[in-house]
Amino acid sequence: NIVYSNPFWWTSQRCVDTIAVLGSFEGFLKHTLSTINWNDTQLHYSRIAGKRAYHLSLEFLMGRALDNALLNLGLKKQYKQGVDKLGFNMEDLLAQERDAGLGNGGLGRLAAYYLDSPASQELPVWGYGLRYRYGIFQQLISPNGQQLEAPEPWADNFNPWELPRIDVGYEVRFRGFAECLPDGSGRAIWEGGQEVLAVAYDVPIPGCNTHNTNNLRL
């Protein structure tokens, strides 16, 4: 079923990079499964009305979402068999996903642990961070052997693991100045500067060997 239910299969035969197309399909399918569990988890938390914990971090290095989800849901063996039947290598397919490197060090990995572990232990924990346009820089080697650093535009292509929440937006201002109101109340209003609309993106965090799926909001 994993192999022959692929609606993009015949389309991928006419594409140059068939592995990328198949990788996108696997992401769509995995995203759907995680979203179902994500909805069930949030409904359960709402019913019991218990306390929740929120972890705020400037960095989150979650790793590649497809491989992590397949391992946690116990489906990697089935998917590998399906990909083998199509004549592709599972590792090549997994490598097509760009790693959302939202950080540059150990703090990002530690923050990822703080989300993966509670999800596996069925604890209501959400993560909050920033959706950087560029992730960890790419390390390249020039023809003369020098190490080069280039931007990592991980979000340039569509990311099926994100749930855009266009209903959740906040106006954020950069620069500008505060002007006191003349009514003697001591209040002030912010004037000038650049106004940016920050839109939320939700990323499902599936637990290991459980249907519990927490959330990372960027």
Side-chain angles (χ1 to χ4, degrees):
N1 291 337
I2 290 175
V3 176
Y4 298 108
S5 64
N6 187 341
F8 301 106
W9 167 242
W10 296 111
T11 303
S12 68
Q13 295 302 294
R14 297 191 296 272
C15 295
V16 175
D17 193 353
T18 56
I19 294 180
V21 175
L22 287 170
S24 297
F25 168 73
E26 301 292 339
F28 275 114
L29 184 57
K30 196 83 256 91
H31 168 63
T32 301
L33 293 176
S34 293
T35 302
I36 293 173
N37 291 342
W38 183 90
N39 286 331
D40 291 342
T41 300
Q42 307 317 311
L43 288 173
H44 171 69
Y45 289 160
S46 297
R47 289 193 192 101
I48 63 177
K51 292 184 177 180
R52 304 192 188 194
Y54 300 92
H55 180 66
L56 279 67
S57 176
L58 291 177
E59 301 180 22
F60 281 99
L61 295 179
M62 302 303 300
R64 288 187 168 92
L66 176 58
D67 192 27
N68 183 61
L70 288 173
L71 286 171
N72 286 348
L73 293 176
L75 294 174
K76 190 168 184 177
K77 182 177 180 180
Q78 293 173 260
Y79 267 66
K80 185 179 185 308
Q81 293 172 348
V83 172
D84 289 343
K85 289 182 180 180
L86 293 176
F88 293 97
N89 182 279
M90 185 67 172
E91 297 304 320
D92 291 337
L93 186 149
L94 294 174
Q96 295 303 308
E97 179 185 352
R98 279 188 167 178
D99 190 352
L102 305 177
N104 60 6
L107 177 62
R109 281 306 305 153
L110 181 62
Y113 298 150
Y114 287 156
L115 294 188
D116 284 333
S117 180
S120 299
Q121 298 182 57
E122 302 183 353
L123 299 175
V125 176
W126 273 35
Y128 278 88
L130 297 177
R131 186 179 181 270
Y132 298 106
R133 181 177 179 183
Y134 297 101
I136 296 180
F137 58 85
Q138 297 185 65
Q139 291 187 350
L140 307 174
I141 303 299
S142 68
N144 59 3
Q146 292 183 331
Q147 178 177 318
L148 304 176
E149 297 178 0
E152 173 57 57
W154 71 275
D156 278 3
N157 297 326
F158 176 70
N159 180 10
W161 295 96
E162 295 178 325
L163 291 164
R165 297 296 302 274
I166 58 175
D167 58 316
V168 182
Y170 300 92
E171 294 179 352
V172 180
R173 287 190 174 185
F174 295 92
R175 298 183 295 275
F177 59 93
E179 182 174 343
C180 293
L181 295 176
D183 57 5
S185 63
R187 295 181 302 167
I189 58 175
W190 197 260
E191 296 286 354
Q194 180 185 12
E195 192 173 275
V196 176
L197 179 63
V199 178
Y201 284 77
D202 285 343
V203 181
I205 307 297
C208 184
N209 298 321
T210 175
H211 290 296
N212 190 77
T213 303
N214 287 341
N215 188 65
L216 168 60
R217 173 159 292 182
L218 302 173

